[in-house]
Amino acid sequence: MVNIVVFGAGGTAGSRIVREAFDRGHRVVAAVRRPEADAPYLPAGVRVVTGDATSVRSVRELAPEADALVVAIGGGDRTLWPDAARTVLDALRGMPAAPRVIHVGGGATLLGPAGTPLLDDPDFPDEYRDAALGQAAALDVYRSSADGVTWTYVCPPPLEFHPGERTGRYRTGTDQPVTDAQGRSVLSYEDLAVAVVDEIENGRFRNMRFTAAY
C-alpha cells in the first residue's frame, strides 16, 4: 500500500487517478478546494480534504502522510501550473522523507520532428496555447529548482486526450509523442490514470518527464 495525496482530485484527471489508486488498494487523500462539492463524486473510503497546491501551508500539512504527491490541477490562467510547481518544491525541500511529486503536465511541451516544443508550432490551436505555456513553465521549474525533491512530469498526448475507456494498456516515451501506425498520439484519461499509478508503484521515470499513449 502506498499513501497518495492527489491535489486537483475533483478534476477530470485527478478524479480518475484517485479512483485508479483506490481500486488498487492504496490509501488515497483527495485534496480539493471545495470538499462539499467534490466528495459525492469520489469513491467512498477516500478521505476528502481541503487542499491547494499553490499554498505552502496546505502542502506542508498533507505531505507528511504521503509517499507520493500528485499535482493534477487545472482551471486557472497560465501562472497556475508554475506557481504550483514552485510551491510544492518549496514546501517539500528539506523535509525528511519528502514524498515524490507526480505532476500531470501538458503534452504540448513534447518535441516535434524539428526538436522544438509542439506548442511553438504556428498551427498549434490557439485555444490550448495559454495552458500549454503554463505547463511548459512548470516543467522548467522542476528541471531547474528540484534539488532534493524527486519529481516526475507526466505528459498526455498533445491533442487527442479525452475521457473514455480504461484498457490498462499504453506505451511510454520521453521527449517525443508516442504515436501509432497512423501517426496519431491518443490516450484516454482513464489510461493516463493507469500510467500515473504505475509510475507511483514502479518509479521508472525519476527526475524526468515521460509521456504515454496507445
Side-chain angles (χ1 to χ4, degrees):
M1 179 186 292
V2 179
N3 298 310
I4 303 170
V5 172
V6 180
F7 283 97
T12 308
S15 62
R16 286 160 172 81
I17 294 167
V18 168
R19 168 62 70 182
E20 180 70 24
F22 182 76
D23 286 350
R24 295 199 202 183
H26 298 304
R27 183 180 293 112
V28 184
V29 174
V32 297
R33 295 197 178 197
R34 298 183 303 148
E36 68 284 356
D38 292 315
Y41 302 100
L42 294 166
V46 168
R47 181 180 161 214
V48 182
V49 301
T50 302
D52 180 358
T54 63
S55 163
V56 169
R57 178 179 178 180
S58 182
V59 175
R60 285 181 176 164
E61 285 177 348
L62 294 171
E65 58 187 289
D67 302 305
L69 192 157
V70 177
V71 180
I73 60 174
D77 62 29
R78 73 171 66 172
T79 66
L80 174 67
W81 295 280
D83 285 351
R86 280 188 290 268
T87 298
V88 168
L89 294 175
D90 288 345
L92 299 184
R93 192 173 288 110
M95 179 181 294
R100 288 182 61 202
V101 178
I102 310 291
H103 182 107
V104 179
T109 66
L110 295 166
L111 306 182
T116 55
L118 293 169
L119 64 89
D120 291 341
D121 189 317
D123 294 328
F124 186 78
D126 287 339
E127 62 265 33
Y128 301 136
R129 193 176 301 278
D130 202 52
L133 289 167
Q135 287 284 21
L139 178 58
D140 288 341
V141 170
Y142 287 109
R143 286 175 164 170
S144 63
S145 307
D147 294 346
V149 179
T150 301
W151 58 274
T152 299
Y153 185 99
V154 186
C155 288
L159 294 174
E160 295 192 68
F161 178 48
H162 309 286
E165 179 186 0
R166 182 196 186 280
T167 70
R169 61 176 179 82
Y170 59 89
R171 295 176 295 136
T172 60
T174 52
D175 291 328
Q176 286 80 33
V178 174
T179 57
D180 61 18
Q182 289 73 45
R184 297 176 63 200
S185 183
V186 183
L187 192 70
S188 69
Y189 274 89
E190 287 75 7
D191 282 328
L192 179 79
V194 174
V196 167
V197 180
D198 283 350
E199 176 59 23
I200 291 171
E201 292 178 348
N202 301 317
R204 295 176 55 208
F205 299 98
R206 293 177 181 267
N207 297 328
M208 61 187 296
R209 72 166 161 195
F210 80 95
T211 185
Y214 299 126

